[in-house]
Amino acid sequence: MMRRKNKRRRRAAFGIYFLLVIAVLMLIGGIKLVVDNWTTPARASGMGIDTGGSGDGWQLLLVNRWNPIPEGYAPELTELWNGESVDSRIYSYLQEMFDDARTEVLEPYVNAGYRTNEVQQSLMDQEVEDYISQGYSEADAREMAEQWVAVPGTSEHQLGLAVDISMDDNGSQSAVDVWQWLMENSYKYGFILRYPEDKTEITGIAYEPWHYRYVGKEAAEDIYRRGVCLEEYLGN
């Protein structure tokens, strides 16, 4: 009888031990799941690095002639109807903005979205050649070109977060009408006029009324209300 009791006790102890092992394994699996979920936004940002802890840093990533694109940056893209592409995360906001603009009898479209480094280099080379053909030296031509075309590796177009917006030629209004509407309303959708006329010395780029950058709705409204550029907003 005593042996039977001891055997039952051993079985009970083994059962408790087995349950404890299962619990520990589940806990380890839960921790791994949490870690994986925390790191996913950083990978989704296209940089393979954490850009803001919560994964939201991609919206405010500063890229200009002094701050190049992080190495390995490769956004997930969504192609537009005309063959241009944008970062997939901004597509719905861009679409909403365009839909609302159309209710004002405007017909905006993206004539430049994401660019590869090769395309950006080609644009720079062409701009330099245009100035040289006008009689400028190569050094002067390059300096002047860089006022309009970002040096490859420092263009927001390579992020997929910036778009050049124009007006459909078949529309009853002009591109200027579209740009005016965007200046007054783009912040509602998370976009900002990236290169304002009075911020050239700070941004390093000449005034471009067609160039809009997604930064998220909260930041866009703050930037719009304060009348600052992205560099000023980020304290750079």
Side-chain angles (χ1 to χ4, degrees):
M1 180 66 70
M2 184 63 69
R3 285 198 296 271
R4 290 180 180 177
K5 288 183 179 180
N6 289 337
K7 185 177 292 185
R8 285 199 294 269
R9 288 173 182 169
R10 286 196 296 272
R11 287 176 178 173
F14 179 80
I16 293 172
Y17 174 78
F18 180 78
L19 290 175
L20 286 173
V21 171
I22 294 298
V24 170
L25 291 174
M26 290 178 67
L27 177 60
I28 293 173
I31 292 173
K32 183 179 185 300
L33 179 60
V34 170
V35 171
D36 284 347
N37 286 340
W38 184 81
T39 57
T40 294
R43 290 198 297 270
S45 73
M47 288 181 282
I49 57 174
D50 186 8
T51 57
S54 64
D56 292 334
W58 63 273
Q59 299 172 328
L60 295 173
L61 178 61
L62 179 63
V63 169
N64 55 28
R65 64 175 58 193
W66 306 283
N67 296 275
I69 298 170
E71 185 176 353
Y73 189 97
E76 180 181 336
L77 301 172
T78 292
E79 185 172 317
L80 308 181
W81 65 271
N82 62 350
E84 295 294 331
S85 298
V86 297
D87 187 305
S88 298
R89 293 167 293 189
I90 77 169
Y91 175 76
S92 62
Y93 304 108
L94 181 66
Q95 186 63 56
E96 182 184 5
M97 182 167 70
F98 278 20
D99 286 345
D100 287 351
R102 292 185 182 105
T103 66
E104 301 294 327
V105 200
L106 298 169
E107 291 295 333
Y109 76 96
V110 174
N111 65 354
Y114 172 76
R115 294 175 186 155
T116 63
N117 194 74
E118 291 73 21
V119 169
Q120 190 66 29
Q121 183 65 61
S122 177
L123 291 171
M124 173 60 76
D125 293 343
Q126 183 60 56
E127 192 75 7
V128 171
E129 287 300 321
D130 286 347
Y131 280 114
I132 290 177
S133 68
Q134 296 174 40
Y136 293 96
S137 67
E138 183 174 351
D140 289 342
R142 187 164 299 280
E143 182 179 351
M144 296 174 70
E146 290 178 2
Q147 294 298 312
W148 296 99
V149 179
V151 174
T154 69
S155 170
E156 286 197 328
H157 282 287
Q158 292 178 249
L159 295 176
L161 303 178
V163 288
D164 288 348
I165 301 174
S166 191
M167 177 76 172
D168 192 322
D169 293 337
N170 296 322
S172 60
Q173 301 190 53
S174 69
V176 175
D177 296 312
V178 171
W179 300 336
Q180 185 61 44
W181 186 88
L182 290 171
M183 287 180 188
E184 298 171 359
N185 296 280
S186 63
Y187 74 90
K188 301 173 185 176
Y189 311 91
F191 291 84
I192 60 169
L193 173 64
R194 181 63 180 92
Y195 305 121
E197 191 169 13
D198 60 341
K199 304 294 183 180
T200 298
E201 292 185 4
I202 300 174
T203 64
I205 297 291
Y207 173 50
E208 294 187 353
W210 53 81
H211 185 107
Y212 279 80
R213 156 72 189 268
Y214 183 81
V215 294
K217 293 184 178 181
E218 183 178 347
E221 181 170 2
D222 197 13
I223 289 171
Y224 175 79
R225 301 296 184 194
R226 291 167 54 188
V228 297
C229 62
L230 185 58
E231 282 81 1
E232 291 174 309
Y233 179 75
L234 296 175
N236 287 275

